[in-house]
Amino acid sequence: MALHFTSEQRLDDGVLEREFTLGEIPGILWTPASASAPAPLILLGHPPLGLHKMYPRLVARARSAVADGFAAATIELPGSGERPRWAAAEQARADLRRAREAGEPVSDEIIDALILPLVDKAVPEWQAALDALLPLPEIGGPVGYSGGVISIGVRLAVVEPRIVAAGFFAGSFVPRAMFEEARQVTIPLHVLLQWDDEGNDRQASLDLFDAFGSEEKSLHANMGGHTGVPQSAGDAAAQFFTRHLR
């Protein structure tokens, strides 16, 4: 898939932000505006809410990464944002909403339908993005993956050898099949967990962390809900990537 840059702007803190398309997939690349050497790359994962809606959080994470000497990039997930609607995904989201509104537990069937097809579609697209981004002269590798959907990160950590370290946000729904894949993960991991995250299964997050096969893995749990992540947690994640990518 060919990479085409469609817009470019310099943010006020020495960050060059470029929107691109990779085939039909929109994405954004952030790089230091005045880099003297190629930068390692951090892929910014995010939930399937659309790049436009996620932009404020993504650009904050990207600015932080660039300040630490990295390039950062993200792509739109299948069925999200401006990309074509995807009937199976829409149905799974509707089933999830219905279960939550009825106060029922979210079944394995709903979780599988919501997550597994998304992982199958998204992971090859992230790999195609790497194929297109790594040859750019301002990007040198190695590569890290940061963020959620955690199941996409798990699959990438297993199948993509160019990713050498990952920072995961625990809490998104995890199909049972992903626990088997987690045992195959061997790269260093930094996992962030909000202890009181209202929509998420804390025990499932702990079980998933336990399943990871990595020799170096650390779990950083903080009190508070989904949006209550303390600044210190971001600092610790930044130190993790600096240690493994620089």
Side-chain angles (χ1 to χ4, degrees):
M1 281 190 277
L3 178 79
H4 295 289
F5 288 108
T6 56
S7 74
E8 177 177 313
Q9 65 169 333
R10 287 175 185 262
L11 307 183
D12 51 19
D13 45 3
V15 178
L16 180 63
E17 177 184 278
R18 284 172 286 176
E19 295 185 359
F20 62 84
T21 56
L22 182 67
E24 301 296 311
I25 306 164
I28 310 173
L29 173 65
W30 295 271
T31 52
S34 56
S36 56
L41 176 65
I42 297 178
L43 300 177
L44 301 181
H46 52 90
L49 301 173
L51 283 186
H52 183 72
K53 186 170 183 180
M54 290 301 301
Y55 177 80
R57 283 161 65 184
L58 286 165
V59 74
R61 290 164 62 196
R63 285 175 188 264
S64 175
V66 171
D68 290 332
F70 302 114
T74 194
I75 56 174
E76 187 72 85
L77 290 173
S80 294
E82 304 299 310
R83 296 188 64 182
R85 295 297 94 186
W86 176 18
E90 301 280 306
Q91 182 62 52
R93 288 174 193 168
D95 291 343
L96 173 65
R97 269 195 306 275
R98 208 161 32 243
R100 283 185 150 169
E101 285 164 5
E104 298 168 356
V106 180
S107 69
D108 287 346
E109 289 74 21
I110 292 175
I111 293 172
D112 286 356
L114 194 67
I115 303 295
L116 291 177
L118 178 64
V119 172
D120 289 343
K121 282 178 179 275
V123 166
E125 294 181 351
W126 281 107
Q127 292 181 292
L130 277 183
D131 292 341
L133 292 167
L134 285 176
L136 296 174
E138 57 271 41
I139 296 174
V143 181
Y145 177 88
S146 170
V149 174
I150 195 169
S151 293
I152 292 175
V154 171
R155 172 74 57 80
L156 275 170
V158 173
V159 303
E160 180 44 75
R162 292 171 291 186
I163 294 175
V164 301
F168 291 150
F169 300 165
S172 46
F173 292 113
V174 180
R176 292 187 185 278
M178 295 307 301
F179 284 77
E180 280 307 310
E181 295 194 34
R183 293 185 175 89
Q184 302 170 45
V185 174
T186 58
I187 60 173
L189 297 180
H190 179 101
V191 183
L192 181 63
L193 171 65
Q194 286 301 102
W195 201 249
D196 306 305
D197 198 335
E198 41 292 330
N200 294 316
D201 184 336
R202 180 198 303 160
Q203 190 58 51
S205 297
L206 297 174
D207 291 345
L208 183 66
F209 180 79
D210 197 35
F212 286 128
S214 305
E215 285 187 15
E216 183 189 330
K217 58 179 180 178
S218 57
L219 179 68
H220 298 254
N222 296 284
M223 303 309 288
H226 190 71
T227 56
V229 182
Q231 178 60 44
S232 59
D235 296 342
Q239 290 163 2
F240 168 82
F241 282 115
T242 296
R243 211 163 52 244
H244 290 288
L245 300 184
R246 294 203 70 78

